[in-house]
Amino acid sequence: MKITLICNCGLVFSSGGELLLIDALTQELAPFYRAPEPVRQEIVTGTGAYTTVCGLLFTHLHPDHFDREAAQAFAAYHPNAVLYIPNRRELPPECLSVGCFTVELHRVRHTQVAGYGKSTVDTMIVSAEGKHVYVSSDAAPEVSLHESVLRGQSVDAAFWNGEMLLYKPEREALCRFASQNFIYHIPGDPQDGLRRKLKRLCGRYPAELETVRLLGDYPSEIIL
């Protein structure tokens, strides 16, 4: 399985000749990185590198993760692809079959952000080729929350908001949760304060964060 981070939290899973996209079409929201317009157009129209997209899923509806207009255009060009847009009034399905991928969904609390109230996130466990990948998106940085989603299993890889590095219990839990841990949602500007803070934390706690890699480049590619 190959996974490519193409924007802020936009992931492209590649397996068996099919592509599954999560949070790949976003609005413009500084300081977070939106995919270049040519890439967005290829995703929407199913052209170029995106001719075999089997599904486009969104973890939640905040603008740095979701662009409704682009998602609607995608649906018009991909009548046979799975399009999942969370509905806050309805619980997510327990599982989605998307091409050669299986996606398990869990609705949890969003990390606290001023102005967004009591938001939620649909975290996802993506499985293919015998590999399991946890996409936590902007879920609250709490060990017990992620333990309840993973139910004791250790996945092959996990994607986390950088807030997971701020607290000792969460840092220590990462090696239990996944063999490889990736911090995304990192602003593209090398001088950004959050980006620099995350780098300092990785330098300060090398033993705790031995399995952790910061994804600050777009695109970033991972092979499992």
Side-chain angles (χ1 to χ4, degrees):
M1 184 194 300
K2 181 172 77 171
I3 309 170
T4 306
L5 177 71
I6 63 168
C7 63
N8 184 35
C9 291
L11 298 172
V12 179
F13 290 78
S14 176
S15 179
E18 295 182 297
L19 303 178
L20 167 66
L21 282 58
I22 298 178
D23 289 351
L25 293 174
T26 71
Q27 299 175 52
E28 195 75 60
L29 184 67
F32 301 112
Y33 180 83
R34 189 172 86 157
E37 193 57 32
V39 174
R40 287 168 53 84
Q41 287 303 311
E42 287 187 359
I43 292 172
V44 167
T45 60
T47 56
Y50 295 90
T51 59
T52 58
V53 174
C54 59
L56 172 63
L57 316 181
F58 293 97
T59 60
H60 60 299
L61 307 185
H62 291 171
D64 51 336
H65 293 257
F66 174 67
D67 183 331
R68 184 174 298 279
E69 183 176 334
Q72 290 171 342
F74 172 90
Y77 279 97
H78 297 80
N80 297 319
V82 175
L83 173 62
Y84 175 71
I85 300 174
N87 183 337
R88 292 186 62 183
R89 297 179 179 84
E90 299 176 1
L91 289 176
E94 292 184 2
C95 191
L96 292 172
S97 179
V98 187
C100 64
F101 301 92
T102 300
V103 183
E104 184 181 318
L105 296 96
H106 299 265
R107 182 156 295 172
V108 302
R109 293 185 304 281
H110 189 285
T111 187
Q112 292 185 352
V113 178
Y116 281 104
K118 296 182 179 179
S119 299
T120 59
V121 175
D122 288 356
T123 64
M124 302 178 183
I125 300 175
V126 179
S127 301
E129 300 178 24
K131 303 290 186 180
H132 307 283
V133 180
Y134 181 41
V135 180
S136 73
S137 186
D138 284 347
E142 300 173 14
V143 170
S144 59
L145 182 153
H146 298 291
E147 285 177 337
S148 69
V149 172
L150 294 171
R151 298 191 297 271
Q153 69 174 314
S154 176
V155 294
D156 297 284
F159 290 83
W160 308 95
N161 185 300
E163 288 194 349
M164 286 292 285
L165 302 190
L166 300 182
Y167 313 105
K168 183 176 178 62
E170 282 66 36
R171 290 195 302 269
E172 292 179 339
L174 291 177
C175 64
R176 301 199 313 269
F177 289 151
S179 300
Q180 299 182 66
N181 292 280
F182 300 98
I183 305 300
Y184 67 167
H185 212 320
I186 300 176
D189 181 2
Q191 300 306 313
D192 179 84
L194 172 60
R195 184 181 176 122
R196 295 168 67 181
K197 182 176 184 177
L198 294 176
K199 285 187 175 181
R200 290 197 300 271
L201 286 167
C202 286
R204 189 177 301 167
Y205 304 105
E208 292 178 356
L209 302 179
E210 183 179 3
T211 65
V212 172
R213 173 184 163 193
L214 301 182
L215 298 182
D217 296 325
Y218 303 96
S220 289
E221 187 174 290
I222 298 152
I223 304 293
L224 296 183

